[in-house]
Structures are given as structure tokens and as C-alpha cells.
């Protein structure tokens, strides 16, 4: 059996943009709302991975409220990153749009994966967030370059992915 080992000098930049993955339940509005401070760095700190993670908070927004300027800033964070491995946490509503934007504009050879969750990471034992983060990070370490979207154990190319709101899942429009 062939195994993969991570070098102790493996570096991954995690770009944080908000979304449900970084939200808290707001009973006043009966919905998840993006909190002021990201829980993503604390989550990864708890795991004690043997890779270097650098965190860059670009914004903390519900992805439905992202502006073209926000997408440009997310792209610039990717392009300006010193790492060639980038994980972006993002809201699921517009994640495919941001993935397509990055793919269309990216000039450097980097591996970029966008992920999010349907249930917040903080405070929910049955959240899909931890699985999505782990799967995305493992996938990121095993691709050389390109932009992908990762949800629920699947990797999608930006131009093929769509979200089914009624089924609460992402799917490929090419299958």
C-alpha cells in the first residue's frame, strides 16, 4: 500500500471569507449569521497538524452579500499568497461564482480549493463543516494546480458545479 507523507515544510494559506461555516445561530432571526471573529484558526489549532497554516481573513460576510470588490480581494489574496496551496472558506450561496472568478483571473500556478458548510462549525456536533475542511485540506495537498470546489466528499470544477437548494447539495451539471 502506497502512503503519502506530508513534509514538515508544507505550507497552506487559508483565506477566510465568512459564510455559514463561520457563522453562529441567531435565534432572533431564526438563521445563521456570520460572527465577527473566525473560528477556523482555533479549529485547526486544536487538531495540531504537522503543516504550516497561515490565515488571512479577507472578509466575514454571508456570501449573498459579497460584492465584486470582495471577489477581487479574495482573488488578490490568492494571487499574492506566498504559498502554492490555498484553501478558501466561503459561503455556499456564491462559492461557485467566486471559484469561477478566481479560475478566470488566476495567473500563477497554484492549487486552490473553496469549501464551506451547510451547518456552522461552531456549536453543532453534526455539522458538515469539519468533514468538509478535512476532506478539502487532504485534497489540496494532493493536487498540483487548479481551482476546485469541495463539498461533502466531492471535488468539482468551477464551470461544472451547481447547488441544489431543495436537496441542500452540490452536483455536477456534466453528469
Amino acid at each position: 500500500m502506497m502512503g503519502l507523507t506530508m513534509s514538515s515544510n508544507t505550507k497552506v494559506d487559508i483565506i477566510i471569507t465568512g459564510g455559514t461555516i463561520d457563522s453562529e445561530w441567531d435565534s432572533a432571526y431564526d438563521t445563521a449569521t456570520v460572527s465577527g471573529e473566525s473560528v477556523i484558526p482555533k479549529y485547526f489549532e486544536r487538531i495540531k497538524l504537522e503543516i504550516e497554516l497561515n490565515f488571512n481573513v479577507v472578509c466575514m460576510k454571508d456570501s449573498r452579500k459579497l460584492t465584486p470588490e470582495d471577489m477581487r480581494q479574495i482573488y488578490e489574496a490568492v494571487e499574492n499568497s506566498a504559498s502554492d496551496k490555498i484553501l478558501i472558506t466561503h459561503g455556499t450561496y456564491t462559492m461557485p461564482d467566486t471559484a469561477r472568478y478566481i479560475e478566470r483571473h488566476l495567473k500563477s500556478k497554484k492549487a486552490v480549493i473553496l469549501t464551506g458548510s451547510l451547518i456552522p462549525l461552531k456549536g453543532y456536533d453534526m455539522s458538515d463543516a469539519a468533514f468538509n475542511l478535512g476532506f478539502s485540506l487532504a485534497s489540496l495537498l494532493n493536487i498540483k494546480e487548479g481551482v476546485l470546489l469541495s463539498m461533502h466528499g466531492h471535488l468539482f470544477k468551477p464551470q461544472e458545479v451547481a447547488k441544489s437548494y431543495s436537496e441542500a447539495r452540490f452536483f455536477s451539471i456534466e453528469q
Side-chain angles (χ1 to χ4, degrees):
M1 185 169 142
M2 188 168 131
L4 296 172
T5 54
M6 290 181 288
S7 159
S8 61
N9 63 1
T10 301
K11 296 176 184 168
V12 174
D13 279 359
I14 298 179
I15 297 172
I16 296 166
T17 69
T20 298
I21 195 166
D22 233 345
S23 294
E24 295 184 38
W25 187 256
D26 186 342
S27 58
Y29 296 100
D30 196 29
T31 190
T33 57
V34 178
S35 58
E37 185 177 330
S38 176
V39 298
I40 304 296
K42 289 178 187 172
Y43 171 77
F44 279 112
E45 182 181 301
R46 235 183 39 223
I47 298 174
K48 301 182 186 338
L49 298 172
E50 293 186 22
I51 59 176
E52 182 182 330
L53 299 176
N54 299 302
F55 300 93
N56 179 2
V57 178
V58 171
C59 60
M60 289 292 290
K61 290 184 172 183
D62 178 314
S63 70
R64 292 171 288 189
K65 296 181 180 178
L66 287 178
T67 65
E69 176 63 18
D70 293 324
M71 280 193 196
R72 187 187 61 74
Q73 288 179 357
I74 296 165
Y75 157 73
E76 286 179 357
V78 170
E79 196 69 71
N80 295 328
S81 170
S83 178
D84 62 351
K85 304 283 187 185
I86 314 289
L87 177 63
I88 301 173
T89 59
H90 198 288
T92 61
Y93 284 100
T94 63
M95 193 180 343
D97 300 329
T98 301
R100 286 189 288 271
Y101 184 93
I102 293 168
E103 183 179 59
R104 187 176 319 112
H105 293 91
L106 192 63
K107 295 174 183 78
S108 56
K109 293 183 185 254
K110 298 185 184 226
V112 180
I113 292 183
L114 290 84
T115 194
S117 68
L118 301 176
I119 301 170
L121 177 63
K122 183 179 178 183
Y124 293 90
D125 292 338
M126 297 302 290
S127 171
D128 57 331
F131 177 82
N132 290 339
L133 287 168
F135 180 84
S136 299
L137 184 59
S139 298
L140 182 63
L141 295 173
N142 289 293
I143 62 172
K144 292 197 184 284
E145 68 179 80
V147 178
L148 297 170
L149 187 146
S150 170
M151 285 293 289
H152 305 135
H154 297 281
L155 294 172
F156 302 97
K157 295 177 184 173
Q159 64 276 9
E160 76 169 316
V161 68
K163 181 177 178 182
S164 169
Y165 294 96
S166 63
E167 297 176 16
R169 68 178 188 89
F170 284 84
F171 65 97
S172 171
I173 59 173
E174 295 180 359
Q175 293 180 2

